[in-house]
Amino acid sequence: MSEQSEQESDRQPAERLLSLDAFRGLVMCTLAVNGFAFASTAKRLGYGPDADVDTYAGSIWQFLAFHNTHPEWNSQFYVVGCSFWDLIQPAFMFMVGVAMPYSYASRRRRGHSTSKLAYHALIRALVLVALGVFLQTRNNWFDTNRLLTNVLAQIGLGYFFVFLLLGSRAKVQIAIAVGVLVAYTIWLGVYPPPDPLPLKSAESIQSLSVPEHVAKHYAIVTNAPAQMDVVILNLVPHENTIQPHAAGYATLNFVPSAITMLIGVLAGTLLRSSRDQADKLRRLIVAGVICMLTAVIAGYTVCPIIKKIWTPAWTLFSGAYVLWLIAGLYWVIEIKKWRAWTFPLVVVGTNSLAIYLMSMLSKRWISDRLENYFGSELFAGPYGPTIQAVSVLAILWLVCLYLYRSKIFFRV
């Protein structure tokens, strides 16, 4: 797409991309319903991850539980497989990137200058970080939980960087993305691990597909991003010393995850372009194939696929899946025009920030109210966690429906 056609596209109002709203709705409903709490229900039924299962029903419950939890460390299964739950945060960040070309083109049509757009992007980034900090520390004192690993904080930390690349040509954006991922991989690979590795760290790398001399650089707690949390965040004097996140998440994940948003920007720019729909679909699918092939090759050689520290291989691995997901929705909704089924998702997708904040802040309160009204036995049985998750989602969806009907949309 030429620079001139991009400028013309910015001046013309674009039809709202229903498939993006449906994409948002699918991601946010999955978050709000907490994966239907299948993992908790499976445990109550006796089909936990360590249980010996010899029935068809048990196998199904273990399958559902696996795809609604985060694996301990390694995120790659059967070469190209992963947990569905691991893809939710990449999908969240990707959809932010897809929306950016639409959002800022709309602001330009309303007469906003480049400096005003930059100011808006900076404020949005700061607000997202503040919201992430609040949500992450709402039940803890700030000095005991300073790691900025919440998804909103991660988006905010990388958002302005991605905004600065928004007007660049696709080749420039791709070149920068490749450069960042390669540099980050080199840094991860040269950071010296302790010798010997602590037991927890040594156990974490047993399932990685890379050679052992590479894997030791990617061990839980002792890897470079985890140690940088200790170094950087402890520069601010506090009563309690910062330690690496017990589950392995790291603040510096925002660097490679910003590339996930940038992949979304590339996809959004493509979807806004004047190319025909078949060409757009083909490019999304091919881009996903390239990301997946590169990720798998890296995952067996120089960089394992680990979601919790967002390795560059994970950036491309998860990027392939979210590209294919938006491609699938684009084909169904925009090309085939099968749209009637999307309404429940669109209701949520047009207010994605609202349902995210409501689910994070009021889930427990809604559950308590439902128990008070219908009785504590409502969630007491083996299927209680799933019934609870669906019930909470139903309440949140009704709130979103009210907001949708009232044309109230929360934005940052």
Side-chain angles (χ1 to χ4, degrees):
M1 186 178 178
S2 69
E3 185 175 348
Q4 180 181 359
S5 61
E6 285 182 359
Q7 291 172 348
E8 291 174 354
S9 179
D10 284 348
R11 289 195 293 267
Q12 298 297 322
E15 180 183 355
R16 188 171 185 91
L17 194 65
L18 190 63
S19 51
L20 176 57
D21 287 332
F23 184 98
R24 285 182 179 132
L26 177 63
V27 172
M28 303 317 300
C29 282
T30 304
L31 272 174
V33 81
N34 195 27
F36 290 94
F38 283 145
S40 297
T41 297
K43 286 183 180 179
R44 286 196 185 186
L45 291 169
Y47 302 129
D50 299 323
D52 292 327
V53 173
D54 56 3
T55 65
Y56 186 63
S59 298
I60 292 176
W61 275 108
Q62 281 197 336
F63 175 83
L64 292 173
F66 169 79
H67 282 286
N68 288 278
T69 53
H70 293 301
E72 288 293 330
W73 194 239
N74 175 46
S75 301
Q76 181 188 24
F77 299 88
Y78 305 107
V79 184
V80 297
C82 65
S83 164
F84 174 73
W85 197 244
D86 267 355
L87 293 175
I88 297 303
Q89 185 175 350
F92 196 146
M93 306 190 82
F94 174 81
M95 73 187 190
V96 171
V98 175
M100 288 178 74
Y102 288 87
S103 174
Y104 286 99
S106 174
R107 289 179 178 275
R108 282 196 182 278
R109 287 195 301 271
R110 297 200 299 268
H112 291 198
S113 64
T114 299
S115 59
K116 188 171 183 178
L117 293 178
Y119 176 76
H120 173 266
L122 180 60
I123 294 300
R124 174 176 284 185
L126 293 174
V127 170
L128 288 171
V129 172
L131 285 173
V133 169
F134 169 72
L135 293 174
Q136 187 165 303
T137 61
R138 66 192 187 280
N139 294 322
N140 301 279
W141 293 108
F142 187 63
D143 61 357
T144 64
N145 193 355
R146 283 180 278 161
L147 305 179
L148 303 178
T149 55
N150 174 275
V151 61
L152 292 185
Q154 289 283 294
I155 292 171
L157 288 170
Y159 189 86
F160 191 70
F161 162 76
V162 176
F163 165 80
L164 293 178
L165 297 175
L166 194 57
S168 304
R169 292 180 178 274
K171 289 182 180 179
V172 173
Q173 293 173 343
I174 293 171
I176 291 175
V178 171
V180 169
L181 294 181
V182 169
Y184 203 78
T185 301
I186 293 172
W187 176 60
L188 288 166
V190 301
Y191 188 87
D195 187 21
L197 288 173
L199 179 60
K200 180 180 179 181
S201 301
E203 290 176 345
S204 71
I205 65 174
Q206 295 304 308
S207 62
L208 299 182
S209 54
V210 292
E212 184 178 355
H213 71 278
V214 175
K216 64 183 181 181
H217 293 274
Y218 294 87
I220 192 172
V221 176
T222 59
N223 60 76
Q227 292 304 304
M228 286 304 100
D229 273 340
V230 175
V231 173
I232 297 174
L233 296 179
N234 279 311
L235 292 176
V236 179
H238 259 269
E239 181 179 349
N240 298 319
T241 302
I242 287 290
Q243 298 297 327
H245 194 290
Y249 299 100
T251 300
L252 283 180
N253 286 0
F254 82 86
V255 176
S257 68
I259 304 305
T260 301
M261 286 193 285
L262 187 55
I263 294 173
V265 167
L266 286 161
T269 302
L270 171 65
L271 292 172
R272 282 194 73 247
S273 73
S274 57
R275 295 182 184 275
D276 66 78
Q277 291 181 324
D279 187 36
K280 293 177 184 179
L281 180 65
R282 182 168 55 253
R283 286 172 179 268
L284 289 172
I285 294 172
V286 170
V289 171
I290 293 171
C291 286
M292 180 59 74
L293 287 176
T294 307
V296 170
I297 292 170
Y300 279 91
T301 54
V302 297
C303 181
I305 297 171
I306 304 172
K307 185 262 180 188
K308 288 185 176 179
I309 53 171
W310 217 284
T311 60
W314 169 255
T315 303
L316 298 174
F317 189 82
S318 59
Y321 276 109
V322 293
L323 281 166
W324 291 335
L325 177 55
I326 193 68
L329 290 171
Y330 185 78
W331 178 76
V332 170
I333 298 170
E334 313 296 346
I335 297 179
K336 304 302 291 185
K337 305 296 184 183
W338 297 333
R339 298 181 169 184
W341 64 275
T342 65
F343 179 74
L345 297 180
V346 171
V347 165
V348 174
T350 51
N351 247 318
S352 53
L353 180 60
I355 194 169
Y356 180 74
L357 293 176
M358 287 190 295
S359 66
M360 292 291 288
L361 296 172
S362 63
K363 226 182 256 187
R364 183 68 261 173
W365 182 86
I366 293 172
S367 296
D368 289 344
R369 303 290 79 73
L370 289 171
E371 284 191 25
N372 289 341
Y373 191 79
F374 293 104
S376 59
E377 67 278 3
L378 176 65
F379 306 138
Y383 298 97
T386 297
I387 295 172
Q388 181 184 49
V390 173
S391 300
V392 171
L393 175 62
I395 300 298
L396 294 176
W397 187 87
L398 288 173
V399 175
C400 286
L401 178 62
Y402 170 78
L403 296 174
Y404 182 83
R405 297 292 193 195
S406 303
K407 300 188 185 303
I408 300 172
F409 305 105
F410 286 81
R411 300 283 187 270
V412 174

